[in-house]
């Protein structure tokens, strides 16, 4: 019986392709999970701003967007700070 080189074995090549494809799909699922979590956090933050300032969803998103741009912090991180701390650094009532 002769040894089979791992790089020349068609079965091993196919297994490697499948493993790479599986890793890619796992990465996509993880990214989707992060996106959903981020979306939920932004939604919570928008709701807090809507209640606090009696504004609509677009205005609440505008506040988050402005705070994100001004502080050079990702929008979902600004939203997380608001939900966690009940405040956005350096932001007061928009009225």
């Amino acid at each position: 019986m002769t040894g089979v080189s791992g790089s020349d074995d068609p079965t091993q090549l196919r297994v490697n392709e499948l493993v790479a494809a599986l890793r890619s799909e796992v990465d996509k699922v993880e990214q989707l999970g992060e996106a959903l979590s981020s979306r939920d956090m932004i939604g919570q933050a928008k709701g807090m701003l809507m209640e606090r300032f009696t504004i609509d969803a677009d205005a609440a998103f505008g506040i988050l967007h402005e705070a994100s741009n001004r502080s050079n912090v990702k929008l979902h991180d600004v939203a997380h700070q608001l939900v966690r701390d009940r405040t956005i650094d350096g932001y007061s009532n928009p009225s």
Side-chain angles (χ1 to χ4, degrees):
M1 191 173 205
T2 60
V4 178
S5 169
S7 63
D8 295 333
D9 179 11
T11 303
Q12 186 61 47
L13 288 173
R14 182 65 180 139
V15 167
N16 292 345
E17 290 171 358
L18 291 171
V19 167
L22 180 60
R23 285 185 180 140
S24 175
E25 293 304 312
V26 167
D27 288 345
K28 288 178 188 176
V29 169
E30 288 174 353
Q31 289 172 355
L32 285 172
E34 291 171 10
L36 285 174
S37 177
S38 178
R39 181 176 180 237
D40 287 347
M41 185 65 63
I42 292 168
Q44 288 177 34
K46 282 174 35 181
M48 290 172 65
L49 292 170
M50 291 166 66
E51 172 67 22
R52 184 179 298 170
F53 299 131
T54 317
I55 56 177
D56 66 15
D58 288 339
F61 186 82
I63 290 171
L64 292 172
H65 186 261
E66 180 183 333
S68 172
N69 286 342
R70 192 175 55 242
S71 63
N72 198 28
V73 173
K74 290 183 179 180
L75 193 134
H76 68 89
D77 291 334
V78 170
H80 182 260
Q81 177 197 352
L82 175 61
V83 171
R84 182 191 64 220
D85 301 339
R86 306 289 190 234
T87 186
I88 299 175
D89 288 339
Y91 204 88
S92 60
N93 191 327
S95 29

